[in-house]
Structures are given as C-alpha cells and as structure tokens.
C-alpha cells in the first residue's frame, strides 16, 4: 500500500508538471467516456432497467403477429379466451392507449391514459399510494364500473395532491367517474417512455371511446397484452403452450389463422418496436466506442511521446536497480490516474448529455417520458471503461518504455527512440485513421439517408397548409350533432380570409396512429383467413384530396352528395389498384370489409403517398367517405394562400365560438407535422454527425502530434540533409510522404472495415445502400485532406529549419 501511495503521489506530480499533456489527455478521454456512458444509459433503460413492479423478470409482453406485419394486438374476445384457458400464466392483462376529456372547474383538457383489464394492476403486482385498484369483477359488465385510478403525477399536478380525492368524482368525457385509487410515485405501467395520467377499466370502453365496438368484435385487434409466468414455467414453455392454444382457437376465430405469439420483455410503446430501437441503440454504442478507441489511441501515442522524453530518467532508475515490473507499475499508475480523472469529468459530460435529452420534448400531444437514468449500472460501466482504457492503452507504452537500451539512453536523451517505438506509434496512427474512417462513413450514411428521405415527396402538400384536431366523442357528441358541427366548422374555416379550401380526416398520413381493415374483392376468390389483406385506410371529408394536394390519376373524389347510406363509394390509391386489378382500370370495381358484402364501388384512384413512414415501400391505401359514416375524432386540414400560422388564432376562435368547452389540440403546420416523421433520422444524424466531428478532430490532433514529434526527433537528420544540399521542398516532401504512406494504409484498412461493419446498419437506412459509393468517396477524401493538413503543418516547420541550428540540436 505504501508503494502504491508513493506511485500515486509521483503520478500526480508528473501530471501537474505537464499541464498541457494532462489537459489534452484528460479532455480526450472525458469526451469518449462521457459519450459512452450517456449512450449506455439508453441501452440500460431498454435492456436492464427493471420495471417498478413485483418480480419483473417474470413479466413478458405477448404479441400476436402474422408474417409480414409489424404490430400485433389482441381483440377483446380473443384476449379473454387466452386469459381464461391458458395454464402457463399466473395472470394475463391487457391495455389500450386512449385520449380522454378531463373536465375540472369549467375547463376541459385532453389527457391520455389507459383502458385496462380489471387484473392489470394485480398482474403487475403494484400497490396503490392511496385507495385501491380495480377488481376483475368490476370489469365484467360493460358500463358497470365508472371508476378511475390516477397517476401520482396527475394527482399532484392537476389536483394539488388532495388527500381526500379518493372516493370523489371527476368528469371524463362528460360522465362522472369515481377515483378509487392513486398509483404509486414513479409508476407508469409497462411502457418506459410513456406516462399515462388515468387508468379506467375496459368495461367503460364505450364511455371513453364513444361509438367503439371493439369489446365484442373478435376481428378488431386493439389490445396490447402482457402476462406473468407461473413459477417454474420458462418463456419457451409458455410460448409453446400459448401458441398451441391459439391454434385451437382458430376454429372459433378463423381470422387468427396463421397468427404466432411472440414474447419480449416489457418496456417500449409497441413491443415489436423493441428490436428496431435496440438496433439503433447498438449502432450508437458502436459509434461512441469508436470515439473512445480513437481517444485511447491518442492517449497511447501521447504516452509514448512523453516516455521518450523520459528515457534518460527510466535508464537511470533501471541502472540504479529498479526492476522493469516496478517501472511498468509506476507508468501504469500514471495512465490509470489520467483515465480516472477523465472518467470523473466524463461522468459530468454524461450527466449534461442525459439532461439535454431529457429536456427534449417531441412534437406530440401526449406525455413522452425520456427517462435515461444514470444508475449504478451506468456508473459501473463508466468506471470499467475508465480503468480499462488506462490499463490497456497504458500498458503498451509502459512496456515499450522500459525496454530501453541503457548506454545510448544515458549518453543522449534526445536520440532516436528506436524502431520498436516508431513502429508502435505508426501502428497507432494507422489505427486512428482506420477507426475514424469507419465512424465517418457510418455518420455519412445516416446523413445521406436523411437527405434521401427529405427528397422523397410525401405525396401531399406541406407548404401553406395547417392542421388542428378535435375529438367530439370525448364531449359526448352523437353522430347527428357531430356531423352538423363538422359542416359548420368547414364553412367557417373556408370563410376566413386567405383560406383556399378545408377538409377533415380521421387519420393523417405520417402521424403516429393508423387504421387498417380486412378487405375482400368482389369477383375474386375468397382467401383463407390468414391471407386476407389488411389495408390501411382513412375516412375523409369532401375536398380532402384538393386540400392536401393529392392528385387523382383517375375518377373523382367525394362530394357532399355521397353522404347517403345507400351510397357506398371509396377512393383507392395507385398501389391498391395495380396490385388487386392488374392490367385493368379499378374505376367501377367493388370491394368490401366482409366477404359476403355489402361492397363499395371505387370512384377514384389517388396518387401514391407515404402513410406510416417516409422510408416505406409503396403501400395500398383506401379512403372512405366521412360525410357518410361519422367519425367522432378528426383533424381539420386547411390550405391557404398565405402563411398558415396566421390562420391558427382565427380557427381557434371559430371553434371556441361553436363550443367553448371543446379542447383543440395538435395545432401545427404540415411542415411541422413532417418533422415528427423525420425526428428519429434527424436525431440519429445529429448524434452520429457530432461523434464523427469529434472523431475527426481527435484523429487530426493525434496525427499532428505524432508527426510534430517525429519531426522534432529528426531535427538533426534534417539539418544534415539540408547541409548536404537538400532543398526545403525535398524536406517537405520527405515528411509529407511519411504521413501520406501511413494515411494510405489507415484509409485502406478503414475502407475494408467500413464495408464489413456498415452492412449492420441496413435496418436504419432509408433510400441509400450501406455501401453507398458517394458516401465512401466523399468521407475518404475528407479524412485524407485532414490527415494531409495535419502532416503538412509540421512538415512546413521542418522545411524552415536552419541547418546550423539543426546540427547543434541536442
């Protein structure tokens, strides 16, 4: 221990004696370690952060999926059968996201919560902060349980933490609900990035979602589910048993033929998004790991250069009897101490980065919680990275430094450092260039992907267009009253100055929600239940295509004369028409949502667009007439001849005049609406680009430092060459050639590594190949230019050396 403390004191003195070296080394490591800790906190949240429930390791998300689909949900009747007939789950619960209108003191607010099965809280194993939770008996008869549970945050924020609130009534969707309990602090269900405010039982689904019929519809998959495994039952056993049960249920629910149940740990909004989110997180982890490697190679090179200056000190200590192991331990102590200081500052960098992410508010109208916690796992990770960096990248310089030749070192401390160290430094430079190129290529591909996506037309107008949403169902509007409201709203909107046209849709393209239905085609063979196509669709008001700027390639769009129940007209997009009626016009053809009809006649074919994401392949899409079939929730779309922002206040005022208690939400221009679909790719491009710039800076500084050190070591040689007749140009070429040869090797290795590793990024790229030639060429040229500049500066300094001064250099 005494020798250890002695080594630490000596290391501290050495660090203070060389403040420039210490500062550069510590800052380089701090940036690398801090970025790694911050990104690891995301992986930690997804993979390792336990839910605040009883025995979270026994919980699994269960999703019914068909081949080719990416979102799976149970219908309520099928959920109940699986819940009651399985023998491997201790409990099987369901939940559904739902907006609600919360009325307090004359004000109406749109809040988001969950419609949940009566056993939801019981399966999770949580206990209320006050009151109680629902019981299964209360959830058996539709409309019989007007009860609500509030989140701890909702109770504190909206009701001031009233201790007497339990047992009192609140108004949801214009109907009284009794608050029976308050959820514990920090509990938000099984979804880590969403904070619900209110839970209500599924028995009250029709009151929360007026007009819905999913409680009794076996083909309407709307419920996400999770289960608690029985003690001793493995996930594989549960999967085998439940899938066998699903096969048995196909005779009762033929629409579920071909469905396979998939299991995943709970934690994300939609369980099937877990793999994509995890893949993106691992790409980020790989990026920051490369940044750390570049920083560590810088550290190793700096330690080698510093050790060369201490050759005489090392030689003296060896000649006085110090063992090589003792000196290696001393040098390792110095490198580890540097890394630990870098780790401490890196932790502060990680805290700053996590706070920056936490302060970010995505452009959505419900509460997303980006809760990246720097817990003990992240702390241990940062500590391990710090110690590993100090030991691994300090060991090579320490080992090389103590292999010095005593007599030359004692005679001349400025002499050549020897071929072994020169090769090691060259190898580190090559590694820096190769690693930097891999990271720059990855960032370049993401940026190119963003550019490609932005160039892809969404299929609708984004300029001079705005949207806002209302939910009449939450205010108790019936179909007749709601239709009259929509007609008046359109008339008032189109009467405003600057408005060209206005329309409505229950689902806007590139939003976070979508709707799909099974479709059958008249005159075509009825497919097996598992092969019935699920087509995305939306209900739209007349003039929707004109307002959205969606061209009709054939036929017409809806009019107000299509409002009669006997008028069954639809508009399809090009992909649907081409796929199901190849080689013929779809106009006049008929399709239906049931194999026996009634069928709807196609009156128009709309140009293809993007409906779920900008990177998607062409998808079939179907439009129904909202003027015929009432939708309680709708987005108003307005096309204007002026800046659409100037219309927002006027539209709000008109809505308030029509119904002062109706909440208006999601008010934005269509350009702002587009930002949501670009958000993941923009975030990825910003993060990857930042790391790439950091890597490029570190690589440039590292190469400059090595070349500058190499020039200083060759000062006498350069003087002799110039004394014998070499020109400044000859010296410049000599030094640059050395740097160029190292960079060529590094770029070659980096290109090979990039071609191998970027193939793993295919799932997060849109419109660009993982081997995109343009990206590889531009990034290689950029890095080569930075390397040449880093080599040129010390080379130019060498070319200006005075031969007489150089010959006297010691």
């Amino acid at each position: 221990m005494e020798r250890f403390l002695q080594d630490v004191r000596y290391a501290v003195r050495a660090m203070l004696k060389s403040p420039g070296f210490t500062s550069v080394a510590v800052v380089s490591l701090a940036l690398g370690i801090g970025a790694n800790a911050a990104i690891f906190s995301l992986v930690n949240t997804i993979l390792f952060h336990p839910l605040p429930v009883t025995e979270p390791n026994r919980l699994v998300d269960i999703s019914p999926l068909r081949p080719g689909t990416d979102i799976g949900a149970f219908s309520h009747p099928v959920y109940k059968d699986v819940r009651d007939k399985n023998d491997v789950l201790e409990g099987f619960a369901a939940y559904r996201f739902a907006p609600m209108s919360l009325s307090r003191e004359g004000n109406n607010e749109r809040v988001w919560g969950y419609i949940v099965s009566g056993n939801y809280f019981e399966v999770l194993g949580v206990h209320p902060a006050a009151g109680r939770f629902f019981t299964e008996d209360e959830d058996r008869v539709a409309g019989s349980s007007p009860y609500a549970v509030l989140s701890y945050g909702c109770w504190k924020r909206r009701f001031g933490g009233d201790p007497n609130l339990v047992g009192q009534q609140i108004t949801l969707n214009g109907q009284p609900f009794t608050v029976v309990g308050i959820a514990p602090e920090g509990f938000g269900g099984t979804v880590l990035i969403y904070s619900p405010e209110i839970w209500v039982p599924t028995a009250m689904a029709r009151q929360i979602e007026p007009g819905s019929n999913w409680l009794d519809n076996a083909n309407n998959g709307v419920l996400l589910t999770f289960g608690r495994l029985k003690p001793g039952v493995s996930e594989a056993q549960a999967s085998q048993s439940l899938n066998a049960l699903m096969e048995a249920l196909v005779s009762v629910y033929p629409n579920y033929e071909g469905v396979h149940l998939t299991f995943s740990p709970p934690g994300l909004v939609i369980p099937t998004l877990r793999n994509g989110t995890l893949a993106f997180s691992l790409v980020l982890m790989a990026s920051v790991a490369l940044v750390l490697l570049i920083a560590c190679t810088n550290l190793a090179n700096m330690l080698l250069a510093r050790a060369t200056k201490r050759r005489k000190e090392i030689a003296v200590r060896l000649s006085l009897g110090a063992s090589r192991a003792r000196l290696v331990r001393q040098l390792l102590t110095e490198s580890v101490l540097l890394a630990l200081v870098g780790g401490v500052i890196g932790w502060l960098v990680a805290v700053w980065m996590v706070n920056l992410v936490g302060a970010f508010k995505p452009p959505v109208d419900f509460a997303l919680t980006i809760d990246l916690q720097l817990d003990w796992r992240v702390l241990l990770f940062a500590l391990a990275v710090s110690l590993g960096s100090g030991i691994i990248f300090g060991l090579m310089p320490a080992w090389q430094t103590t292999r010095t030749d005593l007599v030359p070192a004692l005679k001349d401390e400025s002499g050549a450092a020897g071929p072994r160290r020169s090769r090691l430094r060259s190898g580190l430079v090559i590694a820096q260039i190769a690693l930097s190129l891999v990271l720059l290529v990855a960032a370049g591909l993401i940026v190119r992907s963003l550019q490609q996506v932005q160039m892809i037309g969404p299929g609708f107008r984004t300029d001079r267009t705005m949207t806002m949403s209302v939910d009449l169902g939450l205010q108790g509007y019936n179909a007749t009253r709601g239709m009259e409201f929509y007609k008046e709203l359109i008339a008032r909107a189109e009467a405003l100055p600057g408005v060209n046209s206005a329309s409505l849709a229950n689902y806007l393209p590139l939003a976070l929600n979508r709707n799909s239905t099974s479709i059958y085609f008249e005159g075509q063979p009825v497919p097996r239940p598992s092969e019935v196509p699920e087509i995305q669709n939306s209900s739209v008001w007349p003039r929707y295509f004109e307002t959205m700027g969606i061209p009709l390639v054939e036929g017409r769009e809806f009019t107000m004369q299509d409002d009669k129940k006997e008028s069954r007209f639809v508009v399809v997009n090009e992909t649907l028409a081409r796929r199901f009626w190849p080689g013929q016009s779809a106009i006049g053809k008929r399709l239906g949502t049931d194999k026996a009809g009634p069928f709807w006649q196609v009156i128009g074919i709309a140009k293809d667009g993007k409906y779920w994401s900008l990177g998607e392949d062409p998808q079939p899409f179907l439009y129904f007439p909202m003027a015929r079939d009432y939708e309680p929730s709708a987005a108003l779309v307005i096309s204007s001849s002026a800046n659409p922002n100037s219309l927002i206040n006027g539209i709000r005022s008109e809505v308030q005049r029509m119904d002062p208690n109706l909440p208006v939400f999601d008010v934005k221009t269509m350009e702002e609406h587009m930002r949501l679909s670009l958000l993941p790719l923009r975030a990825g491009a910003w993060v990857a680009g930042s790391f790439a710039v950091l890597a490029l800076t570190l690589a440039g500084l590292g190469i400059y430092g090595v070349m500058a050190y190499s020039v200083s070591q060759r000062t006498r040689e350069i003087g002799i060459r110039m004394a014998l007749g070499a020109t400044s140009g000859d010296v410049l070429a000599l030094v640059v050639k050395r740097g160029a040869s190292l960079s060529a090797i590094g770029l070659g290795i980096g290109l090979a590594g990039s071609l191998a590793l970027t193939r793993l990024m295919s799932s997060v790229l849109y419109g660009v190949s993982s081997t995109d030639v343009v990206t590889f060429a531009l990034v290689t040229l950029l890095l080569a230019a930075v390397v040449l500049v880093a080599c040129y500066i010390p080379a130019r300094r060498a070319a200006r050396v005075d031969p007489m001064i150089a010959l006297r250099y010691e």
Side-chain angles (χ1 to χ4, degrees), residues 590-733:
R590 303 210 305 167
L591 54 83
T593 56
D594 189 274
K595 59 185 176 183
F599 290 99
W600 299 65
Q601 182 179 338
V602 177
I603 60 170
I605 302 174
K607 193 171 182 60
D608 282 345
K610 301 297 180 180
Y611 308 105
W612 180 241
S613 74
L614 284 169
E616 69 187 12
D617 294 327
Q619 301 289 326
F621 202 86
L622 183 62
Y623 300 91
F624 289 102
M626 189 187 292
R628 178 188 184 278
D629 296 307
Y630 170 69
E631 291 289 342
S633 177
L636 173 69
V637 184
I638 294 176
S639 171
S640 68
S641 57
N643 184 348
N645 285 305
S646 62
L647 300 173
I648 291 177
N649 290 334
I651 296 294
R652 279 185 180 274
S653 298
E654 294 299 331
V655 173
Q656 293 303 307
R657 290 190 187 99
M658 294 171 64
D659 186 344
N661 296 320
L662 181 66
V664 176
F665 58 94
D666 236 4
V667 181
K668 56 192 174 185
T669 66
M670 291 305 291
E671 291 177 341
E672 292 171 333
H673 176 73
M674 286 287 294
R675 293 176 191 168
L676 181 61
S677 59
L678 290 172
L679 181 61
L681 201 54
R682 277 181 173 168
W686 186 87
V687 173
S690 300
F691 292 155
V693 170
L694 177 59
L696 189 63
T697 303
L698 290 173
L701 290 175
I703 294 162
Y704 168 78
V706 170
M707 296 306 300
Y709 172 76
S710 177
V711 167
S712 70
Q713 291 296 300
R714 300 177 67 181
T715 300
R716 179 176 292 178
E717 174 197 342
I718 291 171
I720 293 173
R721 287 177 180 272
M722 296 184 73
L724 294 176
T727 65
S728 297
D730 295 330
V731 173
L732 184 69

Side-chain angles (χ1 to χ4, degrees), residues 426 429-434 437 703 707 735-751 780 783-791:
S426 298
V429 169
I430 291 170
Q432 271 190 311
I433 295 173
L437 184 62
I703 294 162
M707 296 306 300
V735 178
V736 171
K737 182 181 178 181
R738 170 64 176 164
S741 63
L742 293 178
S743 65
I745 298 172
L747 290 173
I749 296 173
L751 282 173
T780 303
L783 184 56
V786 170
V787 170
L788 288 178
V789 170
C791 295

Side-chain angles (χ1 to χ4, degrees), residues 521-524 554-556 568-572 577 581 584-592 599-605:
F521 299 91
E522 186 182 40
Q524 298 185 13
E554 192 176 352
R556 66 173 179 88
R568 294 182 177 272
F569 298 133
V570 294
V571 174
V572 301
W581 294 290
Q584 53 186 309
S585 174
I587 300 297
K589 296 295 190 292
R590 303 210 305 167
L591 54 83
F599 290 99
W600 299 65
Q601 182 179 338
V602 177
I603 60 170
I605 302 174

Side-chain angles (χ1 to χ4, degrees), residues 278-608:
L278 182 59
F280 179 70
S281 302
L282 293 179
V283 168
L284 290 182
M285 278 299 297
S287 300
V288 294
L290 288 177
V291 171
L292 181 60
L293 278 175
I294 296 167
C296 288
T297 53
N298 259 353
L299 173 66
N301 250 329
M302 292 172 66
L303 289 172
L304 272 176
R306 185 164 177 251
T308 302
K309 293 183 179 180
R310 297 172 63 184
R311 285 189 316 125
K312 191 168 186 177
E313 171 202 338
I314 298 298
V316 170
R317 295 177 70 178
L318 285 170
S319 64
L320 292 177
S323 68
R324 189 180 180 192
R326 179 73 179 83
L327 292 177
V328 168
R329 189 176 72 184
Q330 170 63 56
L331 294 173
L332 271 180
T333 302
E334 295 178 20
S335 64
V336 169
L337 188 59
L338 276 171
L340 287 176
V341 174
V344 171
I345 300 177
W347 182 261
L348 299 178
V349 171
V351 171
W352 173 76
M353 292 178 68
V354 167
N355 289 338
L356 188 65
V357 172
F360 172 68
K361 300 301 180 186
V364 294
D365 73 320
F366 52 88
L368 283 180
T369 304
I370 305 176
D371 187 17
L372 305 183
Q373 297 185 3
L374 295 173
D375 59 14
W376 62 270
R377 293 181 186 83
V378 183
L379 180 60
L380 286 180
F381 174 81
L383 180 61
V385 168
S386 301
L387 289 174
S389 301
I391 294 172
I392 295 173
F393 291 90
L395 185 60
M396 289 187 296
W399 190 257
Q400 288 291 333
T401 299
T402 56
R403 295 180 68 185
T404 187
D405 295 324
L406 295 183
V407 175
L410 290 170
K411 286 183 177 181
D412 180 18
E413 69 174 304
S414 64
R420 288 191 302 270
R421 289 179 205 168
S422 178
R423 286 195 296 270
L424 180 57
R425 284 197 300 271
S426 298
L428 290 172
V429 169
I430 291 170
Q432 271 190 311
I433 295 173
L435 293 171
S436 299
L437 184 62
V438 171
L439 185 54
L440 285 167
V441 166
L445 287 173
I446 294 177
V447 172
R448 280 270 293 162
S449 183
L450 176 61
Q451 290 176 337
Q452 292 297 317
V453 166
Q454 288 178 319
M455 292 172 62
I456 296 173
F460 56 86
R461 180 184 297 122
T462 59
D463 62 313
R464 293 178 297 174
T465 312
M466 66 154 291
T467 178
M468 55 174 287
S469 298
V470 293
D471 196 331
L472 304 182
L474 300 186
Q475 294 301 110
Y477 280 65
N478 58 27
T480 302
R481 186 180 168 207
M483 282 292 194
E484 291 303 318
F485 181 94
Y486 286 151
K487 291 176 182 178
E488 185 177 353
L489 176 61
I490 293 293
R492 286 175 178 249
E494 291 184 334
L496 291 174
V499 173
N500 295 331
S501 64
S503 188
L504 297 161
N506 67 334
Y507 292 101
L508 285 179
L510 299 181
L512 287 179
N513 52 4
R514 60 178 172 177
N515 187 49
S516 64
T517 187
S518 300
I519 294 296
Y520 300 84
F521 299 91
E522 186 182 40
Q524 298 185 13
V526 177
R528 297 170 57 191
S530 60
E531 298 173 349
V532 175
E534 288 283 326
I535 307 298
Q536 294 184 62
N537 59 83
S538 178
S539 292
V540 301
W541 199 260
R543 300 189 73 184
Y544 173 79
F545 298 96
E546 175 189 348
T547 305
M548 289 288 288
I550 302 174
L552 288 176
V553 297
E554 192 176 352
R556 66 173 179 88
E557 68 170 302
F558 302 120
T559 67
M560 288 306 299
Q561 283 67 48
D562 298 324
D563 63 340
K564 300 175 180 60
K565 289 300 179 183
E566 59 271 18
S567 302
R568 294 182 177 272
F569 298 133
V570 294
V571 174
V572 301
N573 73 342
E574 293 174 293
T575 296
L576 190 149
R578 188 166 49 246
R579 182 175 301 179
F580 296 104
W581 294 290
Q584 53 186 309
S585 174
I587 300 297
K589 296 295 190 292
R590 303 210 305 167
L591 54 83
T593 56
D594 189 274
K595 59 185 176 183
F599 290 99
W600 299 65
Q601 182 179 338
V602 177
I603 60 170
I605 302 174
K607 193 171 182 60
D608 282 345

